[in-house]
């Protein structure tokens, strides 16, 4: 079972400069700064969160009008896409010969909301390792750790996204729908087991390859659900999900949000896979609720009573008392099991909505479900995400992001520390005169010991 995925006709990439030195920019260290950094490399291995200054060769490219300054070990091949949060390019990593995706995040500290989103996503992607979640391979070291405002993230490269597949003339059989849905649920089962709510599941955030492998991406709106720890998760009431995939309890300002909002989004995606068009393409929030009621029918009174906003409750009460639409009429080619699962996913009341464990065990997915190959994990540590509850300055966010980037170089820095000790030992051993040489040997042992400490 494969997909026919059309390739890009134009690369959208130009080499900005032939020279492969650090490019002149506000974030590039001056010659004096580089010289000072190189002279003091041996003394900077103090275990602080700051990363060492980058002195490796850098190659510059223009990708869709955006300048990419990357280590010369990466060769930009072509553009992948762009959005509100960055530009993505495909590149070859000469150290591994892998083809990867490099995402450039510009002006990372311009808006605090965006900065927090970036930090949150990077932390989550480091923690969430799963076959159906996009893999963040590394984050490139900034050219200047003191005032950088660009972040380069290196991801697994995927060929396209589910939205493009749905809009394409590519035929989608029921086996395609089952396999895509199963992979979404398999990844979400792991995400929910870690106590994380994605909050922005939609076809555009589901990356796929021609062999039908699927990976969930874009965790910028995700939240750790720490309500079980008797503390309200910060900003759980802010913007959640693109409107067409937004659960009714979010639109109608419910008492609280749970992992059920993700399951509603999964239902909308499943319906779109079967019908090849969005099931609830509302033009605004009011129209969105009207479209939902047209399909699901008028909600019961006990559901309406859970609506916190009197304005939203009044709007619902003015809607026609419609009966539910028969799903086999909307999806004539869907199997009875497929329609049954969709009905359980698109429940107006989140308490009656299928959980990820219930959905993945539904008869519709019997041929794919295998519990031993559906890994789960422990809930994430609340301490890692304490920044969510505090007002931080740009400098504090910059330091937290440097600490996050440093985690991808801990082994390299340990190895570099060992090399520093050897260099100091060699310098001490090269001291002038017989007496100096002897003294240098003694100092060498002390230096080596202190480095290991």
């Amino acid at each position: 079972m494969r997909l026919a995925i059309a390739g890009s006709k134009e690369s959208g990439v130009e080499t900005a400069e032939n020279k492969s030195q650090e490019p002149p920019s506000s974030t590039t260290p001056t010659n004096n700064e580089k010289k000072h950094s190189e002279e003091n490399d041996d003394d900077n291995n103090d275990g602080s969160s700051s990363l060492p200054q980058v002195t490796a060769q850098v190659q510059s490219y223009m990708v869709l009008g955006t300048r990419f300054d990357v280590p010369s070990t990466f060769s930009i091949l072509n553009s992948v896409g762009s959005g509100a949060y960055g530009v993505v390019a495909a590149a070859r990593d000469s150290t591994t010969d892998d083809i990867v995706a490099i995402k450039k995040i510009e002006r990372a500290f311009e808006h605090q909301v965006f900065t927090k989103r970036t930090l949150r996503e990077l932390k989550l992607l480091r923690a969430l390792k799963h076959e159906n979640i996009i893999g963040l391979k590394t984050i490139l070291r900034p050219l200047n750790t003191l005032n950088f405002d660009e972040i380069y993230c290196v991801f697994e490269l995927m060929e396209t996204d589910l939205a493009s597949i749905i809009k394409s003339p590519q035929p989608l059989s029921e086996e395609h729908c089952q396999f895509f849905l199963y992979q979404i649920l398999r990844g979400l089962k792991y995400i929910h087991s870690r106590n994380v709510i994605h909050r922005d599941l939609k076809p555009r955030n589901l990356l796929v390859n021609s062999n039908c492998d699927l990976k969930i991406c874009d965790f910028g709106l995700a939240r750790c659900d720490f309500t079980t720890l008797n503390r309200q998760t910060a900003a759980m009431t802010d913007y959640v999900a693109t409107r067409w995939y937004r659960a009714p309890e979010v639109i109608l300002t419910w008492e609280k949000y749970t992992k059920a909002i993700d399951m509603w989004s999964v239902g909308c995606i499943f319906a779109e896979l079967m019908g090849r068009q969005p099931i609830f393409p509302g033009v605004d929030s009011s129209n969105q609720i009207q479209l939902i009621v047209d399909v699901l029918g008028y909600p019961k009174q006990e559901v309406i009573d859970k609506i916190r906003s009197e304005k939203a409750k009044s709007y619902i009460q003015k809607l026609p008392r419609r009966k539910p639409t028969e799903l086999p009429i909307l999806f004539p080619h869907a199997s009875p099991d497929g329609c049954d699962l969709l009905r359980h996913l698109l429940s107006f009341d989140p308490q009656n909505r299928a959980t990820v464990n219930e959905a993945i065990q539904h008869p519709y997915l019997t041929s794919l479900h295998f519990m031993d190959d559906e890994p789960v994990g422990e809930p994430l540590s609340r301490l890692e995400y304490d920044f969510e509850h505090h007002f931080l300055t740009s400098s504090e966010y910059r330091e937290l992001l440097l600490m996050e980037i440093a985690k991808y170089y801990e082994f390299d820095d340990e190895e570099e520390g060992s090399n520093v000790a050897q260099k100091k030992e060699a310098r001490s051993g090269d001291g002038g005169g017989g007496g100096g040489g002897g003294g240098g040997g003694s100092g060498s042992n002390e230096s080596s010991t202190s480095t290991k400490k």
Side-chain angles (χ1 to χ4, degrees), residues 286-418:
S286 297
N287 181 237
Q288 188 73 22
I289 290 297
Q290 187 174 1
L291 292 177
I292 292 172
V293 170
D294 286 347
V295 173
L296 303 186
Y298 190 79
K300 295 180 179 179
Q301 186 60 45
E302 57 263 31
V303 176
I304 296 175
D305 291 340
K306 296 178 182 179
I307 301 173
R308 186 170 54 185
S309 166
E310 288 300 323
K311 183 179 179 181
K313 187 180 295 186
S314 175
Y315 174 76
I316 282 284
Q317 291 170 337
K318 292 176 182 176
L319 291 176
R321 268 54 173 178
R322 295 185 181 277
K323 292 184 177 181
T325 301
E326 293 294 328
L327 293 181
I329 296 176
L330 289 179
F331 305 101
H333 301 295
S335 66
D337 281 340
C339 289
D340 183 69
L341 176 54
L342 182 60
R343 187 178 299 106
H344 282 86
L345 290 169
L346 295 181
S347 169
F348 204 105
D349 187 348
Q351 289 187 333
N352 293 332
R353 201 172 299 152
T355 65
V356 67
N357 288 322
E358 291 168 345
I360 207 168
Q361 296 178 57
H362 191 275
Y364 182 69
L365 300 173
T366 297
S367 62
L368 296 168
H369 169 57
F370 181 56
M371 187 172 294
D372 291 346
D373 193 33
E374 296 166 1
V376 294
E378 294 295 323
L380 296 179
S381 168
R382 176 169 145 183
L383 296 177
E384 273 282 316
Y385 302 88
D386 194 52
F387 69 91
E388 297 274 13
H389 307 280
H390 299 284
F391 176 84
L392 302 178
T393 64
S394 293
S395 296
E396 289 171 325
Y397 273 121
R398 185 174 276 107
E399 182 66 17
L400 286 174
L401 279 164
L402 283 173
M403 292 171 65
E404 189 61 32
I405 296 170
K407 293 182 184 298
Y408 290 90
Y409 299 92
E410 287 175 348
F411 177 78
D412 292 345
D413 291 341
E414 287 176 8
E415 187 174 346
E416 183 178 342
S418 176

Side-chain angles (χ1 to χ4, degrees), residues 21 47 53 57 100 131 141 265 296 312 356 417 421-422 424 441:
Q21 301 295 325
Q53 199 86 333
Q57 290 185 327
V100 299
E131 289 177 342
R141 299 180 194 247
S265 300
L296 303 186
V356 67
Q422 293 176 14
K424 286 186 175 181

Side-chain angles (χ1 to χ4, degrees), residues 188-197 259 262-263 356:
L188 196 58
K189 179 178 178 179
Y190 174 78
I191 292 168
H192 283 184
S193 75
R194 303 301 304 272
N195 234 17
V196 173
I197 307 175
K259 297 179 179 73
D262 283 345
M263 301 310 298
V356 67

